[in-house]
Amino acid sequence: MTLLEHLGELRKRLVRGFLAILIGFFACYGFAQQLFYYLSLPLLKVMPADSKFIYTGVAEGFFVDMKVAFVAGVFVACPFLFYQIWAFIAPGLYEEEKKYIIPLTLSSALFFILGGV
């Protein structure tokens, strides 16, 4: 492939990755408050009984939900993002290099899922 063809392929992979993150964001936005509750549960357990979370800005509640939904969307889209990275890199590797990278990739994906759980 020429340099422009490589750049076109990279652009295609990046656009697909950003679309996956966007879809993941919109899918997780409806659950953002529940996700925030589960993320803040360890802190809620150690807080005094009469204390609560507060927002220090007018739009902070909205932006907290947006940030939680974005991070969850990236997490949900990660398997597809990893595939896009692999699909861009794999054609440039020799078979012997692929033989060493595939076990590393599978173990990395397993550890990513276990870390998320």
Side-chain angles (χ1 to χ4, degrees):
M1 294 174 74
T2 66
L3 176 63
L4 291 178
E5 289 172 339
H6 280 291
L7 291 176
E9 178 74 16
L10 179 62
R11 185 187 73 192
K12 182 175 77 170
R13 300 290 177 188
L14 287 174
V15 167
R16 287 180 181 173
F18 287 130
L19 286 175
I21 292 172
L22 189 66
I23 291 168
F25 168 76
F26 284 121
C28 293
Y29 186 73
F31 305 104
Q33 291 179 348
Q34 291 90 353
L35 290 172
F36 180 73
Y37 173 74
Y38 288 119
L39 290 173
S40 63
L41 203 55
L43 184 60
L44 289 171
K45 288 181 180 179
V46 297
M47 287 174 55
D50 58 344
S51 61
K52 60 182 177 178
F53 289 128
I54 62 167
Y55 297 121
T56 57
V58 175
E60 191 170 350
F62 173 71
F63 284 118
V64 166
D65 288 346
M66 295 267 294
K67 290 176 186 179
V68 168
F70 177 73
V71 171
V74 170
F75 185 79
V76 167
C78 267
F80 185 75
L81 294 174
F82 292 149
Y83 169 74
Q84 291 299 318
I85 292 168
W86 176 252
F88 180 72
I89 293 173
L93 298 176
Y94 294 113
E95 290 300 320
E96 186 172 323
E97 293 169 335
K98 287 181 187 178
K99 181 176 68 173
Y100 292 117
I101 290 180
I102 287 176
L104 177 68
T105 305
L106 294 175
S107 64
S108 297
L110 175 69
F111 289 138
F112 175 78
I113 292 169
L114 290 175
V117 170

